[in-house]
Amino acid sequence: MQDKQNLAGFDMVLSLSQSTINYQFQQLFKRKHIHNQWNVLVGNVLDPKGEKPFHLEGEEDDLKKKIEQWMSLQNQISEAQKADNWEEVGKLVSKLKSEGLNFDFAWQAKLKPPTIEFINKDTQNVTLEINFSSGTLYYRPGGVTSAISTYEVNDWVYSFTCPIGRLKIKKSQMLMDADDEMELILRNSGLSESDFRIESLFLNFENANISNFDKSKSKFSIEDAVPLQIAIESYFNQVLPGTDHPYVLGYGVTRPKINSQEAMFQPTSLEYSTSFSEKVNSKKPVPGQYSGFNFLMMLHGKDPVKSQNTGILSTSLIELGKDSTSTTDGVFAIQKSHFKDYLTSLDSYVASIFSEQKDVEVENGGFQQINDLFVMKAHCNTKHIDDEINTTYTLVRMPIENVDRGIKVTYQFKVNIDVHIHIGKWDIYDVTLSTSGKYTYGNQINKPGKTGIMEFTIINGEQGRFDLENGLEAPIIAFDNNTSIIGDTFLSALLDILMFIFAWPLKIVQGIVNQIAVDLGKENVNIQNQKIEELRQLDMLNQTNKVILPLGKTYAYKNLRLLEDKSLVAYDISYAPVLEKQS
């Protein structure tokens, strides 16, 4: 049965909640990458007359003096104009320009952290809110001879729609802790920066219609709209021009050229979209709190199938967060069809343990799918003098299931032993033992048979790893038929080889159990079983964590689980408080 496609045509998606992006903006604001004050004067915007627009930034006190000088000259010009003293007006205008004070407007304002909201039925744009705490906008509306108007912007909010942009950048352009994270990736991979493609996903002010404000979300007097529109648009166009600014949503890091054997879940391409959700937490309802920003990833150099719905998730992944007591900061999901690669590697490891045992042959090289189950058979045929002992080991991988700590993969371990015993020259007696056997004999076989269990639990490892824990319960064999009806002569011969049965087929079982315990222990993997190296501490989300945030790794992973109804395997992501770096 083909798995559902619930990731809008992509193999993996890391979705960060709207609140997480805003938390990131708060930290960028706190560390002053995003300006927490606007102290700037801007000129040649309203009536440039061929002159290039310019702006002047500085410390608050220095800018205050400049503003006072500018306002003083503008007031003098107004007074001279009222007195029809045009000669004086000309002198004052010349002085205004020569002293670099020919400004159109100035900001002296304190701000609160900016916030974004994702938009219903729009996956490529966001609403950005600029929140003023206090301050003044100085505005000269009518040219060089006009008087300056002032506007107190206390608690004003200016909201507008902004598209999301993407741009290839260098590691040195990454903000805050992202540069350190990229350096760690390079160091651990042994590769150079040129082997990766780093893309910044940011708010694209160049292509935004900043002057078109959202009346329903903005908070200021409509009579003051024009100067505010012009001043805010000019601020983003003049003070934060182009793409090198701190309004960054995240960085996507991919390796376009990759050997598919190097990493199981290594993304080779990256796209993005947003998902709006109307769901709210009933205890603390906040609009858009389950909306998400999606980093959409493909594996193995493939491209998504293009359609009008490519990249548009039918449901925000944030709604799939397991912890219902609070909003999930993020959710990572991978198509179950790709998670099967991990299970196939686990099957391959288990089969390799058997094939490496002396005289054991694995059918068809490993596990084969039979209906919805995966089955492996291995055989060991040996002789003790003239007696034959033919052993079949059958492993069945059961459907995977969710447990408290992660995802459990269970293999049922069955054993069948056919013994052909020669009595005298011609008589051959057959006896079978198995994990289904019910009959015991003496001290050697004193318990009914029981199917063995090999359990592997894929758990939440540090920093997004897939760690493995194992639980192994050896199979128990017993006679399939009642030994009391067997003759004394046969039983006597059976006793001669009974210990040999334990010394070979069951020793193989014990050897397999011991080998897995060693491989999943803290010691290095046995050189003969390198396959497990791909699975123990698999760097699952550090490989897909080619999505790097300016905050660096301030997040943890939890609640690894299979979402069977959606054909997804998912993690929840939660953020820890940011610790300030000590200087």
Side-chain angles (χ1 to χ4, degrees), residues 37 39 58-65 67 108-110:
Q37 295 188 52
N39 295 309
E59 295 297 327
E60 184 177 3
D61 290 341
D62 294 337
L63 265 294
K64 186 177 181 180
K65 292 178 182 178
I67 291 172
Q108 273 207 305
K110 290 180 169 56

Side-chain angles (χ1 to χ4, degrees), residues 233-249:
E233 182 174 32
S234 296
Y235 175 84
F236 283 103
N237 289 337
Q238 297 299 319
V239 182
L240 295 179
T243 57
D244 190 15
H245 62 71
Y247 288 79
V248 174
L249 302 170

Side-chain angles (χ1 to χ4, degrees), residues 38 40 42-45 52-55 57 105 107 158 160 162-163 203-212 228-245 247:
W38 286 5
V40 61
V42 180
N44 291 340
V45 171
K52 186 177 180 180
F54 70 97
H55 70 278
E57 292 184 270
F105 67 88
W107 283 105
Y158 189 89
F160 62 94
C162 186
L203 298 187
N204 188 358
F205 298 121
E206 282 189 329
N207 292 329
N209 187 357
I210 298 174
S211 63
N212 185 18
L228 191 59
Q229 286 171 290
I230 293 173
I232 288 183
E233 182 174 32
S234 296
Y235 175 84
F236 283 103
N237 289 337
Q238 297 299 319
V239 182
L240 295 179
T243 57
D244 190 15
H245 62 71
Y247 288 79

Side-chain angles (χ1 to χ4, degrees), residues 71-130:
M71 292 186 69
S72 176
L73 280 173
Q74 290 292 167
N75 289 335
Q76 293 177 52
I77 291 171
S78 295
E79 292 299 321
Q81 191 175 21
K82 290 177 182 178
D84 288 331
N85 188 348
W86 296 106
E87 181 180 356
E88 181 67 13
V89 169
K91 290 180 181 179
L92 291 170
V93 168
S94 296
K95 183 177 181 181
L96 189 76
K97 291 181 178 180
S98 64
E99 294 187 4
L101 296 173
N102 186 24
F103 300 110
D104 291 322
F105 67 88
W107 283 105
Q108 273 207 305
K110 290 180 169 56
L111 290 92
K112 303 173 186 177
T115 59
I116 65 167
E117 290 187 13
F118 300 131
I119 304 171
N120 192 13
K121 298 180 181 180
D122 185 345
T123 63
Q124 302 297 307
N125 297 280
V126 301
T127 298
L128 175 66
E129 291 188 358
I130 303 300

Side-chain angles (χ1 to χ4, degrees), residues 7 10-14 265 267 295-297 299 332-334 544:
L7 295 180
F10 288 83
D11 296 332
M12 303 187 299
V13 175
L14 174 61
F265 302 111
F295 296 85
L296 311 165
M297 291 166 275
L299 302 172
F332 170 83
I334 180 171
T544 61

